[in-house]
Amino acid sequence: MTVDGSLERLKREGRIVVVGASLAGLRAAETMREKGFTGSLTMIGDEPYEPYDRPPLSKQVLLGRAGPERTALPRRRDIEAAWRLGVPATGLDMAARRVRLADGDEVEYDRLLIATGVRARPWPQADEAALDGVFVLRTRDDAAALEQKLAAGPGRVLVIGAGFTGSEIASACRERGLPVTVAERGAAPLVGALGGVVGEVAAEMHREHGVDLRTGIMVTRLEGDATGRVRVAHLSDGTTLEADVVVVSLGAMRNTEWLAGSGLGAGPRGIACDAGCRAFDIRGIVTDDIYVAGDVARSPHALFGYQFLSLEHWGNAVAQAETAAHNMLSESADRRPHLWVPAFWSSQFGVNIKSVGVPSMGTEILIAQGSRDERRFTGVYGYQGRVIGAVTFDQSRWLQFYERLIEETAPFPPTFTTVDRRPEGNRPMPADFPDPSVPTHGPTITLSGYSPADRRMTFTPAHH
Amino acid sequence: MRLVVDLNRCQGYAQCAFLAPEVFAMHGEESLLYDPNPGTDGEADAELRENVTRAVAACPVRAILLELADGRAGDGPGGAS
């Protein structure tokens, strides 16, 4: 790519294809044009809409304050692209440098950026998932359908899963005055991301706002009425719950199926790439012409022990897209690593929750400022004697300070005193993350019948 | 008009909510809710446009990216130069 000036040729008349027309794809395309790329640019997206912003879908949109069709992302500049919207990519031929589309078309590239993101994990029983009133929330269409249902004033909404999205949905329902039950198989909401100490605060917030929060429980079956509308949920404690809206909020699945058999290192855990966003093939060799950005990427982070991190964060999508775009159009010596410090936010029950670093790596937490009882505090996470993450509840102005400590691998517990330190902040506590190697629920087997001929075994598999 | 607020950057100073309350509103102590596509495309009324432009400029942490209906990018994180 150097001696013969081929990089210049690529920038002038090369063909770049971006698969995934959401936040990461759009910001990458803008960055390429900003860097002087004048060749052809093709944007491929499975949804029929131009790039839109997803965070408002579980907040403003569910509250009925902004229509789902009014979330289109502002452009930083014109990208002069050929848009192929509503047509998913179905295959990749790495040797021929071609992307296959669902309509049979093929698009050739000199450089490919994969930003296909994630989709909502569906309810595992397809016939139950198809019942009228059962939703997931990831896309504009999902939000439009769910908002319409909430506006009709359902008798009870059941939210399955109390992660960030599930909690935000429950919060929006309560704000609309709707009865809500949240079923979470862990011990508290948000425990996977923030641990049990903070999860306990989240649980109290749910209950104070009138959510019927049930933890340590699984939904085993959804039952519809004769017209195919969802009516009852069966729970793992043997009880049933009537609900006319069920929102399945069980996390996300990475959109990598279209790459099966391509030879690219892509699977259920995402697409592995190097710190410069170049994708690995299945042999573990990094490719020169295929880059990855956003939720679907899994890349090593020097600050966190070179662990491969998958970050489903808005800010990560933007930063990684910019780095990928830069590197796609650079000589190898000019490439940059993607060294973004993870950060995210959530707004629920009127509280602004923000985080930096990787709290889930933390083994201990110190409430450095404020108090959990007041729902206004800063928690600092420690890992092997260093600060690894931080979370704030309505104290976001302190977060930047802790971000610096994470970047500097400052010692944990912090050696300095902080303003507004309370007695609960005198010493660190175990952060209480669930052990990922221990399943929260094994399979459930129930036996019925007496005579050997009647003996029946019902097997309810563990969900993942 | 189209806009997006980088809520990692936002620290709840609420300047935008004072200057363009029809678009930005505080929700609780420091959460911000906003209308991502205010006005009607093409004929966003002048006052709304003026207020939003002032809100963008007043944000102490430069968290708002605005694209006016005529395609001109406004100020903000990495806004078009």
Short mmCIF file of all heavy atoms in Angstrom, two decimals, chain A residues 27 50 53 59-60 63 65-66 70-76 175 314-315 343-345 347 350-352 354 376 394-397 400, chain B residues 2-13 25 27-31 33-39 65-67 73 77-80:
data_model
loop_
_atom_site.label_atom_id
_atom_site.label_comp_id
_atom_site.label_asym_id
_atom_site.label_seq_id
_atom_site.Cartn_x
_atom_site.Cartn_y
_atom_site.Cartn_z
N ARG A 27 -21.38 7.70 11.28
CA ARG A 27 -20.25 8.52 11.74
C ARG A 27 -18.96 8.12 11.04
O ARG A 27 -18.09 8.95 10.77
CB ARG A 27 -20.11 8.44 13.26
CG ARG A 27 -21.28 9.07 14.03
CD ARG A 27 -21.40 10.57 13.79
NE ARG A 27 -22.52 11.17 14.54
CZ ARG A 27 -23.56 11.78 13.97
NH1 ARG A 27 -23.65 11.89 12.65
NH2 ARG A 27 -24.53 12.29 14.71
N GLU A 50 -33.28 5.88 7.21
CA GLU A 50 -31.96 6.47 7.31
C GLU A 50 -31.53 6.43 8.79
O GLU A 50 -32.36 6.23 9.68
CB GLU A 50 -31.97 7.88 6.75
CG GLU A 50 -32.88 8.84 7.48
CD GLU A 50 -32.69 10.26 6.98
OE1 GLU A 50 -31.54 10.70 6.88
OE2 GLU A 50 -33.70 10.92 6.70
N ASP A 53 -31.40 7.60 15.96
CA ASP A 53 -30.80 7.44 17.28
C ASP A 53 -31.66 6.49 18.11
O ASP A 53 -32.88 6.67 18.19
CB ASP A 53 -30.71 8.81 17.95
CG ASP A 53 -29.58 8.88 18.95
OD1 ASP A 53 -28.59 8.14 18.77
OD2 ASP A 53 -29.67 9.66 19.92
N LYS A 59 -36.95 6.06 26.10
CA LYS A 59 -37.15 7.20 27.01
C LYS A 59 -38.21 8.13 26.42
O LYS A 59 -39.41 7.89 26.61
CB LYS A 59 -35.82 7.91 27.23
CG LYS A 59 -34.71 6.94 27.70
CD LYS A 59 -33.37 7.64 27.81
CE LYS A 59 -32.25 6.68 28.15
NZ LYS A 59 -31.80 5.86 27.00
N GLN A 60 -37.77 9.18 25.69
CA GLN A 60 -38.73 10.15 25.13
C GLN A 60 -39.87 9.47 24.37
O GLN A 60 -41.03 9.84 24.49
CB GLN A 60 -38.03 11.10 24.15
CG GLN A 60 -37.03 12.05 24.73
CD GLN A 60 -35.62 11.51 24.58
OE1 GLN A 60 -35.36 10.38 24.98
NE2 GLN A 60 -34.72 12.29 24.04
N LEU A 63 -42.36 7.62 26.48
CA LEU A 63 -43.13 8.58 27.27
C LEU A 63 -44.12 9.34 26.41
O LEU A 63 -44.89 10.16 26.92
CB LEU A 63 -42.19 9.56 27.97
CG LEU A 63 -41.39 8.98 29.14
CD1 LEU A 63 -40.32 9.97 29.60
CD2 LEU A 63 -42.32 8.63 30.30
N ARG A 65 -43.28 11.58 24.22
CA ARG A 65 -42.84 12.97 24.05
C ARG A 65 -42.18 13.23 22.70
O ARG A 65 -41.94 14.38 22.35
CB ARG A 65 -41.84 13.34 25.14
CG ARG A 65 -42.44 13.32 26.51
CD ARG A 65 -41.64 14.25 27.38
NE ARG A 65 -41.99 14.10 28.77
CZ ARG A 65 -41.38 14.77 29.73
NH1 ARG A 65 -40.40 15.60 29.43
NH2 ARG A 65 -41.74 14.61 30.97
N ALA A 66 -41.80 12.17 22.00
CA ALA A 66 -41.23 12.33 20.66
C ALA A 66 -41.65 11.12 19.85
O ALA A 66 -41.57 9.99 20.34
CB ALA A 66 -39.70 12.44 20.72
N ARG A 70 -39.35 10.45 14.53
CA ARG A 70 -38.62 11.72 14.65
C ARG A 70 -37.34 11.57 15.46
O ARG A 70 -37.06 12.33 16.37
CB ARG A 70 -39.52 12.77 15.30
CG ARG A 70 -40.65 13.21 14.38
CD ARG A 70 -41.73 13.90 15.19
NE ARG A 70 -41.25 15.11 15.82
CZ ARG A 70 -41.53 16.33 15.39
NH1 ARG A 70 -42.27 16.50 14.35
NH2 ARG A 70 -41.06 17.37 16.02
N THR A 71 -36.58 10.53 15.14
CA THR A 71 -35.31 10.33 15.86
C THR A 71 -34.14 10.27 14.88
O THR A 71 -33.06 9.81 15.23
CB THR A 71 -35.34 9.03 16.68
OG1 THR A 71 -35.68 7.95 15.82
CG2 THR A 71 -36.34 9.10 17.81
N ALA A 72 -34.35 10.72 13.63
CA ALA A 72 -33.26 10.68 12.64
C ALA A 72 -32.05 11.44 13.16
O ALA A 72 -32.19 12.50 13.78
CB ALA A 72 -33.74 11.28 11.32
N LEU A 73 -30.86 10.87 12.94
CA LEU A 73 -29.65 11.49 13.46
C LEU A 73 -29.25 12.70 12.62
O LEU A 73 -29.32 12.66 11.40
CB LEU A 73 -28.50 10.47 13.42
CG LEU A 73 -28.46 9.45 14.55
CD1 LEU A 73 -27.56 8.28 14.16
CD2 LEU A 73 -27.96 10.09 15.85
N PRO A 74 -28.79 13.76 13.28
CA PRO A 74 -28.24 14.88 12.52
C PRO A 74 -26.96 14.44 11.81
O PRO A 74 -26.23 13.59 12.31
CB PRO A 74 -27.95 15.93 13.59
CG PRO A 74 -27.83 15.17 14.86
CD PRO A 74 -28.70 13.96 14.72
N ARG A 75 -26.72 15.03 10.67
CA ARG A 75 -25.50 14.71 9.92
C ARG A 75 -24.44 15.75 10.22
O ARG A 75 -24.73 16.93 10.33
CB ARG A 75 -25.80 14.73 8.41
CG ARG A 75 -26.96 13.85 7.99
CD ARG A 75 -26.62 12.39 8.13
NE ARG A 75 -27.75 11.56 7.74
CZ ARG A 75 -28.02 11.23 6.47
NH1 ARG A 75 -27.24 11.68 5.50
NH2 ARG A 75 -29.06 10.49 6.18
N ARG A 76 -23.19 15.27 10.31
CA ARG A 76 -22.10 16.21 10.48
C ARG A 76 -21.72 16.85 9.14
O ARG A 76 -21.14 17.92 9.09
CB ARG A 76 -20.87 15.50 11.04
CG ARG A 76 -21.05 15.05 12.47
CD ARG A 76 -19.83 14.29 12.89
NE ARG A 76 -19.93 13.84 14.26
CZ ARG A 76 -19.01 13.08 14.83
NH1 ARG A 76 -17.94 12.71 14.15
NH2 ARG A 76 -19.16 12.70 16.07
N GLU A 175 -44.40 6.15 34.74
CA GLU A 175 -44.65 7.57 34.52
C GLU A 175 -45.96 7.79 33.77
O GLU A 175 -46.61 8.81 33.93
CB GLU A 175 -43.47 8.17 33.76
CG GLU A 175 -43.38 9.66 33.96
CD GLU A 175 -42.05 10.24 33.54
OE1 GLU A 175 -41.03 9.53 33.66
OE2 GLU A 175 -42.05 11.40 33.11
N TRP A 314 -23.34 3.81 23.14
CA TRP A 314 -23.49 4.86 22.14
C TRP A 314 -22.16 5.54 21.85
O TRP A 314 -21.75 5.71 20.70
CB TRP A 314 -24.51 5.86 22.67
CG TRP A 314 -24.98 6.91 21.73
CD1 TRP A 314 -26.08 6.84 20.93
CD2 TRP A 314 -24.39 8.20 21.50
NE1 TRP A 314 -26.21 8.01 20.23
CE2 TRP A 314 -25.20 8.85 20.55
CE3 TRP A 314 -23.27 8.86 22.01
CZ2 TRP A 314 -24.91 10.14 20.10
CZ3 TRP A 314 -22.98 10.13 21.55
CH2 TRP A 314 -23.80 10.77 20.61
N GLY A 315 -21.46 5.93 22.91
CA GLY A 315 -20.20 6.65 22.74
C GLY A 315 -19.13 5.78 22.10
O GLY A 315 -18.27 6.27 21.35
N ALA A 343 -18.00 4.40 28.58
CA ALA A 343 -18.89 5.31 29.32
C ALA A 343 -20.31 5.10 28.81
O ALA A 343 -20.53 4.87 27.63
CB ALA A 343 -18.47 6.76 29.10
N PHE A 344 -21.27 5.16 29.72
CA PHE A 344 -22.67 5.09 29.29
C PHE A 344 -23.55 5.83 30.27
O PHE A 344 -23.12 6.23 31.35
CB PHE A 344 -23.14 3.64 29.13
CG PHE A 344 -23.19 2.86 30.41
CD1 PHE A 344 -24.31 2.92 31.24
CD2 PHE A 344 -22.13 2.07 30.80
CE1 PHE A 344 -24.37 2.21 32.43
CE2 PHE A 344 -22.17 1.35 32.00
CZ PHE A 344 -23.29 1.42 32.80
N TRP A 345 -24.80 6.01 29.86
CA TRP A 345 -25.76 6.67 30.72
C TRP A 345 -27.09 5.95 30.64
O TRP A 345 -27.36 5.24 29.68
CB TRP A 345 -25.94 8.13 30.30
CG TRP A 345 -26.77 8.26 29.08
CD1 TRP A 345 -28.12 8.34 29.01
CD2 TRP A 345 -26.31 8.27 27.72
NE1 TRP A 345 -28.52 8.40 27.70
CE2 TRP A 345 -27.45 8.35 26.89
CE3 TRP A 345 -25.04 8.21 27.13
CZ2 TRP A 345 -27.36 8.39 25.50
CZ3 TRP A 345 -24.96 8.24 25.75
CH2 TRP A 345 -26.11 8.34 24.95
N SER A 347 -31.33 6.81 32.04
CA SER A 347 -32.21 7.70 32.78
C SER A 347 -33.43 6.89 33.18
O SER A 347 -34.12 6.36 32.32
CB SER A 347 -32.56 8.87 31.85
OG SER A 347 -33.65 9.56 32.34
N GLY A 350 -36.47 9.11 37.08
CA GLY A 350 -36.06 10.49 37.35
C GLY A 350 -34.62 10.63 37.80
O GLY A 350 -34.19 11.72 38.18
N VAL A 351 -33.84 9.54 37.75
CA VAL A 351 -32.45 9.59 38.19
C VAL A 351 -31.54 9.38 36.99
O VAL A 351 -31.79 8.54 36.13
CB VAL A 351 -32.17 8.54 39.29
CG1 VAL A 351 -30.68 8.47 39.62
CG2 VAL A 351 -32.97 8.85 40.54
N ASN A 352 -30.47 10.17 36.95
CA ASN A 352 -29.50 10.08 35.87
C ASN A 352 -28.36 9.17 36.33
O ASN A 352 -27.62 9.51 37.25
CB ASN A 352 -28.98 11.50 35.59
CG ASN A 352 -28.17 11.59 34.33
OD1 ASN A 352 -28.37 10.80 33.40
ND2 ASN A 352 -27.26 12.54 34.28
N LYS A 354 -24.90 7.37 35.39
CA LYS A 354 -23.81 7.39 34.41
C LYS A 354 -22.63 6.60 34.93
O LYS A 354 -22.45 6.46 36.15
CB LYS A 354 -23.38 8.84 34.12
CG LYS A 354 -24.44 9.60 33.34
CD LYS A 354 -24.07 11.04 33.14
CE LYS A 354 -23.19 11.24 31.93
NZ LYS A 354 -23.11 12.67 31.53
N ARG A 376 -28.26 9.74 45.42
CA ARG A 376 -27.34 10.75 44.88
C ARG A 376 -25.97 10.41 45.42
O ARG A 376 -25.66 10.70 46.58
CB ARG A 376 -27.81 12.11 45.38
CG ARG A 376 -27.26 13.29 44.65
CD ARG A 376 -27.82 14.57 45.28
NE ARG A 376 -27.11 15.71 44.76
CZ ARG A 376 -27.38 16.27 43.59
NH1 ARG A 376 -28.37 15.84 42.86
NH2 ARG A 376 -26.65 17.28 43.17
N ASP A 394 -27.16 10.81 39.74
CA ASP A 394 -27.37 12.26 39.86
C ASP A 394 -26.15 13.00 40.39
O ASP A 394 -26.28 13.97 41.14
CB ASP A 394 -28.60 12.55 40.75
CG ASP A 394 -29.89 12.54 39.93
OD1 ASP A 394 -29.81 12.48 38.69
OD2 ASP A 394 -30.98 12.59 40.54
N GLN A 395 -24.96 12.56 40.02
CA GLN A 395 -23.74 13.29 40.37
C GLN A 395 -22.77 13.26 39.19
O GLN A 395 -21.56 13.05 39.36
CB GLN A 395 -23.05 12.67 41.60
CG GLN A 395 -23.69 13.04 42.91
CD GLN A 395 -22.78 12.84 44.10
OE1 GLN A 395 -21.80 12.10 44.03
NE2 GLN A 395 -23.09 13.49 45.20
N SER A 396 -23.30 13.48 37.99
CA SER A 396 -22.47 13.25 36.81
C SER A 396 -21.28 14.20 36.72
O SER A 396 -20.31 13.90 36.04
CB SER A 396 -23.32 13.35 35.54
OG SER A 396 -23.78 14.67 35.37
N ARG A 397 -21.36 15.33 37.41
CA ARG A 397 -20.24 16.27 37.25
C ARG A 397 -18.94 15.75 37.86
O ARG A 397 -17.87 16.24 37.55
CB ARG A 397 -20.60 17.62 37.85
CG ARG A 397 -21.49 18.38 36.90
CD ARG A 397 -22.00 19.67 37.46
NE ARG A 397 -23.36 19.89 36.94
CZ ARG A 397 -24.12 20.89 37.29
NH1 ARG A 397 -23.70 21.77 38.18
NH2 ARG A 397 -25.32 21.02 36.79
N GLN A 400 -15.97 12.87 35.39
CA GLN A 400 -14.75 13.15 34.63
C GLN A 400 -13.50 12.97 35.50
O GLN A 400 -12.47 12.47 35.04
CB GLN A 400 -14.81 14.58 34.14
CG GLN A 400 -14.52 14.69 32.68
CD GLN A 400 -14.76 16.11 32.17
OE1 GLN A 400 -15.28 16.97 32.88
NE2 GLN A 400 -14.38 16.34 30.94
N ARG B 2 -32.60 18.63 13.07
CA ARG B 2 -32.27 17.36 13.73
C ARG B 2 -31.20 17.64 14.75
O ARG B 2 -30.26 18.39 14.48
CB ARG B 2 -31.69 16.38 12.72
CG ARG B 2 -32.65 15.97 11.66
CD ARG B 2 -31.90 15.16 10.66
NE ARG B 2 -32.81 14.56 9.71
CZ ARG B 2 -32.44 13.66 8.82
NH1 ARG B 2 -31.18 13.27 8.77
NH2 ARG B 2 -33.31 13.15 8.00
N LEU B 3 -31.34 17.00 15.91
CA LEU B 3 -30.27 17.19 16.88
C LEU B 3 -30.08 15.93 17.70
O LEU B 3 -30.96 15.08 17.81
CB LEU B 3 -30.55 18.40 17.77
CG LEU B 3 -31.84 18.43 18.57
CD1 LEU B 3 -31.62 17.89 19.96
CD2 LEU B 3 -32.35 19.86 18.65
N VAL B 4 -28.88 15.83 18.24
CA VAL B 4 -28.58 14.75 19.16
C VAL B 4 -27.70 15.32 20.26
O VAL B 4 -26.86 16.18 20.00
CB VAL B 4 -27.90 13.55 18.43
CG1 VAL B 4 -26.50 13.89 17.95
CG2 VAL B 4 -27.85 12.32 19.32
N VAL B 5 -27.96 14.90 21.48
CA VAL B 5 -27.14 15.35 22.61
C VAL B 5 -26.25 14.20 23.04
O VAL B 5 -26.73 13.08 23.26
CB VAL B 5 -28.02 15.81 23.79
CG1 VAL B 5 -27.15 16.32 24.93
CG2 VAL B 5 -28.99 16.89 23.35
N ASP B 6 -24.96 14.45 23.10
CA ASP B 6 -24.03 13.46 23.62
C ASP B 6 -24.20 13.43 25.13
O ASP B 6 -23.66 14.28 25.85
CB ASP B 6 -22.60 13.82 23.22
CG ASP B 6 -21.59 12.78 23.70
OD1 ASP B 6 -21.95 11.97 24.58
OD2 ASP B 6 -20.46 12.78 23.19
N LEU B 7 -24.97 12.46 25.61
CA LEU B 7 -25.32 12.46 27.04
C LEU B 7 -24.18 11.92 27.90
O LEU B 7 -24.26 11.98 29.13
CB LEU B 7 -26.63 11.69 27.26
CG LEU B 7 -27.84 12.44 26.68
CD1 LEU B 7 -29.08 11.57 26.69
CD2 LEU B 7 -28.12 13.74 27.43
N ASN B 8 -23.11 11.39 27.27
CA ASN B 8 -21.91 11.13 28.06
C ASN B 8 -21.29 12.46 28.48
O ASN B 8 -20.74 12.59 29.57
CB ASN B 8 -20.88 10.34 27.25
CG ASN B 8 -21.28 8.89 27.09
OD1 ASN B 8 -21.70 8.25 28.05
ND2 ASN B 8 -21.17 8.36 25.88
N ARG B 9 -21.37 13.42 27.58
CA ARG B 9 -20.79 14.72 27.81
C ARG B 9 -21.67 15.61 28.68
O ARG B 9 -21.17 16.41 29.48
CB ARG B 9 -20.63 15.40 26.46
CG ARG B 9 -19.29 16.02 26.23
CD ARG B 9 -19.36 16.67 24.86
NE ARG B 9 -18.54 15.96 23.93
CZ ARG B 9 -17.62 16.57 23.18
NH1 ARG B 9 -17.45 17.87 23.27
NH2 ARG B 9 -16.89 15.88 22.34
N CYS B 10 -22.98 15.51 28.51
CA CYS B 10 -23.94 16.37 29.21
C CYS B 10 -23.77 16.24 30.72
O CYS B 10 -23.63 15.15 31.26
CB CYS B 10 -25.36 15.95 28.83
SG CYS B 10 -26.65 16.78 29.76
N GLN B 11 -23.73 17.38 31.41
CA GLN B 11 -23.63 17.34 32.87
C GLN B 11 -24.80 18.03 33.53
O GLN B 11 -24.73 18.41 34.70
CB GLN B 11 -22.29 17.96 33.31
CG GLN B 11 -21.13 17.11 32.81
CD GLN B 11 -19.78 17.63 33.28
OE1 GLN B 11 -19.70 18.49 34.13
NE2 GLN B 11 -18.73 17.08 32.71
N GLY B 12 -25.87 18.19 32.81
CA GLY B 12 -27.10 18.70 33.41
C GLY B 12 -27.06 20.16 33.80
O GLY B 12 -27.70 20.55 34.77
N TYR B 13 -26.32 21.00 33.06
CA TYR B 13 -26.30 22.44 33.37
C TYR B 13 -27.62 23.10 33.04
O TYR B 13 -27.91 24.20 33.51
CB TYR B 13 -25.16 23.13 32.63
CG TYR B 13 -23.79 22.83 33.20
CD1 TYR B 13 -22.97 21.87 32.62
CD2 TYR B 13 -23.35 23.48 34.34
CE1 TYR B 13 -21.73 21.58 33.14
CE2 TYR B 13 -22.11 23.19 34.88
CZ TYR B 13 -21.29 22.24 34.28
OH TYR B 13 -20.06 21.96 34.81
N ALA B 25 -35.91 19.51 27.99
CA ALA B 25 -36.53 19.58 29.31
C ALA B 25 -35.75 18.71 30.28
O ALA B 25 -35.32 17.61 29.93
CB ALA B 25 -37.98 19.11 29.24
N HIS B 27 -35.47 16.24 33.35
CA HIS B 27 -36.34 15.17 33.81
C HIS B 27 -35.71 14.67 35.09
O HIS B 27 -34.72 13.94 35.05
CB HIS B 27 -36.40 14.09 32.73
CG HIS B 27 -37.48 13.09 32.93
ND1 HIS B 27 -37.22 11.79 33.22
CD2 HIS B 27 -38.82 13.22 32.88
CE1 HIS B 27 -38.37 11.14 33.34
NE2 HIS B 27 -39.35 11.98 33.14
N GLY B 28 -36.20 15.13 36.22
CA GLY B 28 -35.48 14.88 37.46
C GLY B 28 -34.38 15.90 37.61
O GLY B 28 -34.38 16.93 36.95
N GLU B 29 -33.42 15.62 38.50
CA GLU B 29 -32.38 16.60 38.83
C GLU B 29 -31.42 16.90 37.68
O GLU B 29 -31.04 18.03 37.47
CB GLU B 29 -31.56 16.09 40.02
CG GLU B 29 -32.37 15.89 41.27
CD GLU B 29 -32.04 16.93 42.32
OE1 GLU B 29 -30.86 17.35 42.36
OE2 GLU B 29 -32.94 17.30 43.09
N GLU B 30 -31.01 15.85 36.99
CA GLU B 30 -30.00 16.12 35.96
C GLU B 30 -30.16 15.34 34.66
O GLU B 30 -29.29 15.42 33.80
CB GLU B 30 -28.58 15.95 36.52
CG GLU B 30 -28.25 14.56 37.01
CD GLU B 30 -26.75 14.42 37.34
OE1 GLU B 30 -26.20 15.26 38.08
OE2 GLU B 30 -26.16 13.46 36.86
N SER B 31 -31.24 14.58 34.50
CA SER B 31 -31.46 13.90 33.22
C SER B 31 -32.07 14.89 32.23
O SER B 31 -32.88 15.72 32.61
CB SER B 31 -32.44 12.75 33.38
OG SER B 31 -31.84 11.70 34.07
N LEU B 33 -34.25 15.31 28.67
CA LEU B 33 -35.04 14.74 27.58
C LEU B 33 -35.16 15.81 26.51
O LEU B 33 -35.29 16.99 26.82
CB LEU B 33 -36.44 14.34 28.07
CG LEU B 33 -36.54 13.13 29.00
CD1 LEU B 33 -38.02 12.83 29.29
CD2 LEU B 33 -35.88 11.91 28.40
N TYR B 34 -35.12 15.40 25.25
CA TYR B 34 -35.23 16.39 24.18
C TYR B 34 -35.94 15.80 22.99
O TYR B 34 -36.03 14.59 22.83
CB TYR B 34 -33.83 16.89 23.79
CG TYR B 34 -32.91 15.80 23.29
CD1 TYR B 34 -32.83 15.50 21.93
CD2 TYR B 34 -32.15 15.06 24.18
CE1 TYR B 34 -32.00 14.49 21.47
CE2 TYR B 34 -31.31 14.04 23.73
CZ TYR B 34 -31.25 13.76 22.38
OH TYR B 34 -30.43 12.75 21.93
N ASP B 35 -36.47 16.69 22.16
CA ASP B 35 -37.11 16.28 20.92
C ASP B 35 -36.02 16.23 19.85
O ASP B 35 -35.45 17.26 19.50
CB ASP B 35 -38.19 17.31 20.56
CG ASP B 35 -38.92 16.96 19.28
OD1 ASP B 35 -38.49 16.00 18.59
OD2 ASP B 35 -39.90 17.65 18.95
N PRO B 36 -35.70 15.04 19.33
CA PRO B 36 -34.57 14.94 18.40
C PRO B 36 -34.82 15.62 17.05
O PRO B 36 -33.87 16.00 16.39
CB PRO B 36 -34.39 13.43 18.19
CG PRO B 36 -35.22 12.76 19.25
CD PRO B 36 -36.31 13.72 19.60
N ASN B 37 -36.07 15.75 16.63
CA ASN B 37 -36.37 16.37 15.32
C ASN B 37 -37.44 17.44 15.48
O ASN B 37 -38.57 17.29 15.02
CB ASN B 37 -36.86 15.31 14.31
CG ASN B 37 -35.81 14.28 13.91
OD1 ASN B 37 -36.10 13.36 13.17
ND2 ASN B 37 -34.59 14.39 14.42
N PRO B 38 -37.11 18.54 16.16
CA PRO B 38 -38.15 19.55 16.42
C PRO B 38 -38.52 20.33 15.16
O PRO B 38 -37.73 20.43 14.23
CB PRO B 38 -37.49 20.48 17.44
CG PRO B 38 -36.03 20.34 17.20
CD PRO B 38 -35.81 18.94 16.70
N GLY B 39 -39.72 20.88 15.17
CA GLY B 39 -40.19 21.67 14.05
C GLY B 39 -40.60 20.78 12.90
O GLY B 39 -40.44 19.57 12.94
N LEU B 65 -25.25 18.36 19.06
CA LEU B 65 -24.96 18.41 17.62
C LEU B 65 -26.26 18.72 16.90
O LEU B 65 -27.25 18.02 17.07
CB LEU B 65 -24.39 17.08 17.14
CG LEU B 65 -24.17 16.97 15.62
CD1 LEU B 65 -23.06 17.90 15.15
CD2 LEU B 65 -23.83 15.54 15.23
N LEU B 66 -26.25 19.79 16.12
CA LEU B 66 -27.46 20.25 15.45
C LEU B 66 -27.26 20.28 13.94
O LEU B 66 -26.22 20.71 13.45
CB LEU B 66 -27.80 21.66 15.95
CG LEU B 66 -28.90 22.42 15.21
CD1 LEU B 66 -30.26 21.81 15.48
CD2 LEU B 66 -28.90 23.89 15.61
N GLU B 67 -28.26 19.80 13.24
CA GLU B 67 -28.28 19.96 11.79
C GLU B 67 -29.55 20.71 11.43
O GLU B 67 -30.65 20.23 11.72
CB GLU B 67 -28.26 18.60 11.08
CG GLU B 67 -28.21 18.70 9.58
CD GLU B 67 -28.56 17.39 8.89
OE1 GLU B 67 -28.60 16.34 9.56
OE2 GLU B 67 -28.82 17.42 7.68
N ALA B 73 -24.57 21.96 9.12
CA ALA B 73 -24.31 21.41 10.44
C ALA B 73 -24.05 22.53 11.42
O ALA B 73 -23.41 23.53 11.08
CB ALA B 73 -23.13 20.46 10.39
N PRO B 77 -19.96 18.43 19.20
CA PRO B 77 -18.82 17.53 19.21
C PRO B 77 -18.47 17.13 17.79
O PRO B 77 -19.27 16.52 17.10
CB PRO B 77 -19.30 16.34 20.04
CG PRO B 77 -20.78 16.41 20.02
CD PRO B 77 -21.14 17.85 19.84
N GLY B 78 -17.33 17.46 17.36
CA GLY B 78 -16.89 17.08 16.03
C GLY B 78 -17.77 17.65 14.93
O GLY B 78 -17.83 17.10 13.85
N GLY B 79 -18.48 18.70 15.21
CA GLY B 79 -19.35 19.30 14.21
C GLY B 79 -18.54 19.68 12.99
O GLY B 79 -17.34 19.87 13.05
N ALA B 80 -19.22 19.76 11.86
CA ALA B 80 -18.50 20.04 10.61
C ALA B 80 -17.74 21.34 10.74
O ALA B 80 -18.23 22.32 11.31
CB ALA B 80 -19.50 20.13 9.46
#
